[in-house]
């Protein structure tokens, strides 16, 4: 069945068909536009073929051609058909040569037969070689294979000429399928965002394009449908499959007022959601942008292999010429055909395909495996960086704790009206999105709209300041009171809760204590990091007593509280200078500078601010601390596989190259050293997609 919507070109950009709306089952499985259609669908092939004809070939043939474009709408059977035809003709010819000799099978007819056997597998490679030369890439893998097989024809080694190209063609098909499979996890994300939504207009459901929906519109979401925009649930409750965002299929129950995000699938009754963000600003839209851009960021190993191939391949070509001609000066019984054959073997062995395909595939597989587990890497270079991290520095609130606070006690001095103070504090905190503000709102209740605030401002790392009825109101930590010279005699050093100080009309009015709960997997995450020999440090703007209490519960190595954003930056610099590379994990706007400074910045993407997600190199979509060691493990496994492939390719090629130059290896060993090693490296690279982390 050919695909009718959302074709994906080489650059992973969706092309939407407005008439189609995706359908899903109750568990979130997509019932249309399946992955096999994405890879093998007719329109996909046509789009990719068109893209291939028009893209910049200086990229496409620089030992970095995208094997996925070779699919061109064909089934697996159609992909292997040319090789199958060539194989049948080759086996028939070998049988007529050796097992069932016929008088008529000789001379021009025999040559013609082998040429016909060569054409199905050789012609596409010849075309690619010509294209490479047109765009000044003279030493592509295609060019090497054409020279080698044409040379074999020239010296009468017809069966080996066809066999070399046949095995090379089969290898190319396997590489194509492997690359497509590696892209599968990432490509499938592109259909996670519906093109259309049902909004209520004058209490009647109307289907419109998701991008035309406005903030404040009410979306009606039926069971099995996927939400197209971020919003706030206005129904009493609903259960959602959040696997598109988190990689976890466990249903997540939301209550009235909770945030629901684009990509979530309604599992129960019809629910209504008020849109809170434009289509292009939804969390899922940002995730898709990150995923689409990830492949552009290359790891240093990958970049080195590209540069190496550019130098290595011309050297091999000139060495093969030397192998052919130079022995004439030193060997008494020099035979041109013998030394040309050795040179051709040398050429086939030298093709760097195993390296230039399997290494990018290994990194792409790592990115795909991570995204499948709800972890987004913005580039393969960050896989390398995270694999070598020696220190993980974490924020506390919203990272290792739930970020859901509850008011524990309220201490208001006798000279103030407790109810009045709480009302004005609630009015001020209603202008903040901090979890503390939510806790105060939940404790006090609805905001009194008659309270007028003048000149409200947020003082970074301290709290909020405003004027009410002509009187100054300060709400924040005790450093805020010290900043404005508000005297107080409260000792909060032994309180293991977060303390919110209040000053009104220049006098200390009292304080509230607020507690937060530790995330269920936080302790396990720290333990796993320790088993990896990674030091864990906690930095927080919260008071030191609270930070130390949480750190002791989690077994964290070092913890520092009462830090301003600039203090966090200093601490991270100190840790990096003293103990090596640092990954910083945070979720708030004030964490953005530290994330930008660290070697690898990790953002908690579910509750995290957009500024942090934009700045970070890695995004954890479900805010689970256990994904931190998982991301590091995926990075380490990816790096290990990449280096296994490098060692495998170089060692086998080096051995067979020496044997080939000495005349001890023939074309069959050469084919194994090229295609065989490439296939082994590819199979090794795709292993990461099947690993459990």
């Amino acid at each position: 069945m050919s695909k009718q919507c959302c074709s994906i070109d080489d650059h992973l950009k969706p092309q939407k068909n407005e008439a189609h709306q995706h359908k899903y089952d109750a568990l979130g499985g997509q019932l249309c536009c399946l992955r096999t259609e994405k890879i093998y669908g007719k329109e996909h092939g046509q789009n990719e073929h068109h893209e291939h004809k028009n893209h910049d070939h200086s990229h496409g043939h620089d030992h970095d051609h995208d094997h996925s474009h070779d699919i061109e709408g064909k089934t697996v059977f159609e992909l292997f058909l040319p090789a199958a035809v060539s194989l049948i003709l080759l086996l028939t010819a070998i049988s007529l040569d050796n097992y069932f000799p016929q008088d008529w099978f000789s001379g021009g007819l025999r040559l013609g037969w082998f040429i016909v056997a060569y054409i199905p597998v050789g012609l596409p490679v010849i075309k690619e070689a010509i294209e490479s030369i047109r765009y000044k890439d003279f030493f592509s893998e295609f060019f090497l294979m054409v020279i080698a097989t044409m040379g074999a024809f020239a010296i009468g080694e017809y069966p080996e000429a066809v066999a070399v190209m046949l095995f090379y063609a089969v290898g190319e098909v396997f590489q194509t399928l492997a690359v497509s499979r590696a892209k599968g996890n990432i490509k499938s994300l592109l259909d996670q965002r519906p093109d259309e939504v049902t909004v209520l207009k004058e209490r009647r459901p109307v289907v419109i394009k998701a991008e035309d929906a406005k903030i404040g519109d009410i979306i009606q979401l039926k069971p099995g449908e996927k939400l197209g925009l971020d919003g706030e649930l206005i129904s009493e409750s609903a259960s959602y499959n959040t696997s598109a965002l988190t990689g976890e299929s466990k249903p997540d129950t939301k209550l009235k007022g909770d945030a629901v995000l684009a990509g979530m699938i309604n599992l129960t009754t019809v629910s209504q959601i008020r849109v809170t963000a434009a289509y292009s600003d939804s969390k899922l839209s940002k995730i898709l942008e990150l995923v689409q851009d990830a492949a552009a960021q290359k790891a240093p190993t990958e970049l080195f292999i590209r540069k190496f191939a550019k130098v290595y391949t011309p050297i091999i070509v000139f060495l093969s010429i030397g192998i052919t001609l130079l022995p004439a000066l030193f060997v008494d019984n020099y035979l041109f055909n013998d030394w040309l054959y050795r040179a051709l073997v040398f050429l086939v062995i030298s093709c760097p395909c195993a390296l230039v395909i399997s290494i990018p595939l290994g990194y792409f597989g790592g990115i795909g495996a991570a995204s499948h587990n709800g972890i987004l890497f913005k580039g393969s270079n960050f896989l390398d960086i995270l694999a070598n991290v020696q220190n993980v520095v974490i924020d506390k609130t919203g990272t290792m704790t739930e970020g859901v606070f509850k008011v524990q006690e309220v201490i208001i001095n006798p000279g103030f009206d407790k109810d009045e103070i709480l009302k004005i504090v609630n009015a001020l905190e209603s202008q903040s999105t901090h979890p503390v503000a939510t806790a105060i709102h939940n404790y006090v209740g609805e905001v009194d709209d008659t309270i007028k605030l003048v000149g409200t401002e947020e003082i970074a790392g301290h709290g909020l300041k405003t004027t009410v009825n002509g009187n100054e109101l300060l709400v924040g930590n005790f450093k805020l009171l010290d900043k404005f010279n508000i005297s107080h005699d409260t000792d909060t050093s032994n309180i293991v809760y977060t303390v919110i100080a209040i000053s009104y009309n220049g006098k200390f009015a009292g304080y509230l204590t607020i507690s937060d709960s530790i995330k269920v997997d936080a302790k396990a995450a720290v333990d796993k990091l320790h088993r990896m020999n990674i030091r864990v440090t906690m930095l927080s703007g919260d008071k030191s007593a609270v930070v130390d209490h949480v750190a002791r519960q989690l077994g964290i190595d070092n913890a520092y509280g009462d830090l301003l954003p600039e203090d966090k930056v200093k601490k991270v610099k100190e840790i990096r200078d003293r103990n090596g590379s640092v990954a910083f994990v945070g979720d708030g706007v004030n964490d953005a500078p530290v994330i930008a400074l660290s070697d690898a910045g990790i953002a908690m993407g579910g509750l995290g601010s957009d500024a942090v997600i934009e700045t970070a190199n890695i995004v954890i979509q479900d805010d689970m601390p256990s994904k931190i060691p998982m991301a590091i493990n995926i990075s380490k496994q990816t790096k290990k596989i990449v280096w296994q492939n490098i060692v495998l390719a170089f060692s086998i090629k080096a051995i067979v190259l020496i044997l080939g130059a000495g005349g001890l290896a023939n074309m069959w060993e050469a084919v194994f050293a090229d295609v065989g090693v490439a296939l082994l490296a590819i199979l090794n690279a795709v292993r990461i997609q099947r690993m459990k982390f």
Side-chain angles (χ1 to χ4, degrees), residues 534-548:
I534 294 173
R535 293 180 60 82
V536 184
T537 303
M538 179 182 285
L539 304 181
S540 178
D542 212 341
K543 68 173 191 170
S544 295
V546 177
V547 178
D548 290 340

Side-chain angles (χ1 to χ4, degrees), residues 424-471:
I424 60 176
V425 167
N426 191 29
L428 175 58
E429 291 289 352
S430 69
Q431 302 198 14
S432 171
T433 57
H434 195 280
V436 166
T438 305
I440 293 171
H441 173 69
N442 291 338
Y443 181 81
V444 178
E446 293 298 320
V447 176
D448 187 344
D449 294 331
T450 63
I451 297 173
K452 304 299 179 187
L453 306 178
V454 179
T456 302
E457 62 176 302
E458 181 173 354
I459 301 169
H462 292 78
L464 298 169
K465 171 181 174 292
T466 193
T467 301
V468 183
N469 301 325
N471 298 318

Side-chain angles (χ1 to χ4, degrees), residues 100 103 225 297 307-308 327 341 401 428 468 574 579 651 683:
F100 310 103
D103 293 337
E225 287 187 334
Q297 303 295 327
K307 292 176 182 176
F308 172 81
Y341 182 80
T401 64
L428 175 58
V468 183
E574 288 174 11
N579 297 322
S651 57
L683 290 173

Side-chain angles (χ1 to χ4, degrees), residues 319-339:
L319 282 175
S320 63
I321 293 171
I323 290 170
T324 307
L325 302 177
L326 290 178
L329 303 175
F330 308 104
V331 178
D332 294 333
N333 56 344
Y334 172 79
L335 291 174
F336 176 79
N337 279 11
D338 287 350
W339 288 98

Side-chain angles (χ1 to χ4, degrees), residues 91-333:
L91 292 177
T92 303
I94 291 173
S95 298
L96 293 173
D97 266 346
N98 300 291
Y99 302 107
F100 310 103
Q102 301 292 323
D103 293 337
W104 56 267
F105 191 68
S106 61
L109 181 60
R110 181 172 178 270
L111 173 60
W113 187 287
F114 280 108
I115 290 174
V116 171
Y118 179 87
I119 286 173
V121 289
L123 195 58
V125 179
I126 293 170
K127 286 180 179 177
E128 288 282 4
I130 293 170
E131 285 287 286
S132 306
I133 294 167
R134 276 183 59 206
Y135 291 92
K136 298 185 173 65
D137 183 12
F138 297 102
F139 298 104
S140 67
E141 59 192 87
F142 311 107
F143 180 64
L144 293 184
M145 298 311 295
V146 171
I147 292 177
T149 53
M150 291 297 183
F153 266 111
I155 61 175
E157 299 290 348
Y158 308 150
E160 293 187 355
V162 176
V164 167
M165 192 59 81
L166 170 61
F167 285 113
Y168 178 75
V170 170
E172 284 284 291
V173 174
F174 276 116
Q175 289 161 12
T176 297
L177 295 175
V179 171
S180 296
R181 179 164 184 163
K183 289 182 177 180
N185 284 336
I186 293 176
K187 281 189 175 183
S188 63
L189 279 173
L190 293 175
D191 270 340
Q192 298 296 344
R193 181 177 57 181
D195 305 329
E196 297 176 335
V197 292
T198 302
V199 298
L200 296 178
K201 293 191 175 180
E202 298 178 357
R203 298 187 179 180
R204 297 183 61 184
V206 179
V207 177
I208 63 171
K209 291 181 180 179
E211 58 193 24
D212 293 338
K214 297 179 176 60
I215 294 174
D217 282 352
I218 306 299
I219 293 177
Q220 178 177 282
L221 198 66
K222 296 176 184 176
E225 287 187 334
K226 185 170 287 190
L227 184 60
L229 299 100
D230 292 355
E232 176 188 343
L233 183 66
I234 57 176
S235 300
E236 289 302 318
S237 67
S239 185
Y240 294 92
N241 179 329
T242 63
S243 58
L245 293 166
T246 66
E248 300 289 337
S249 58
K250 185 173 70 174
D252 186 5
T253 300
K254 300 290 185 182
L255 302 177
K256 185 176 182 179
D258 286 349
V260 284
L261 304 177
M264 292 183 177
I265 301 167
N266 188 9
L267 297 178
T268 51
T269 58
V270 175
S271 58
Q272 294 182 356
I273 296 101
R274 180 182 292 108
V275 177
T276 57
Y279 184 72
S280 59
D281 295 330
S282 70
K283 278 275 196 299
L284 185 57
S285 293
K286 294 182 184 301
I287 287 168
L288 297 183
E289 288 173 14
L290 298 182
V291 169
Q292 291 180 75
D293 293 340
Q297 303 295 327
K298 303 298 182 186
T301 311
E302 193 174 345
L303 293 171
F304 168 75
I305 290 298
R306 282 183 175 186
K307 292 176 182 176
F308 172 81
K310 283 184 178 180
V311 176
Y312 162 86
T313 311
I315 290 172
I316 290 296
V317 171
F318 290 117
L319 282 175
S320 63
I321 293 171
I323 290 170
T324 307
L325 302 177
L326 290 178
L329 303 175
F330 308 104
V331 178
D332 294 333
N333 56 344

Side-chain angles (χ1 to χ4, degrees), residues 38-53:
K38 289 184 183 70
I39 297 174
Y40 303 119
K42 184 177 179 182
E43 283 87 347
H44 172 56
Q46 290 171 343
N47 289 337
E48 290 190 319
H49 181 64
H50 175 75
E51 188 70 29
H52 168 61
K53 292 298 182 186

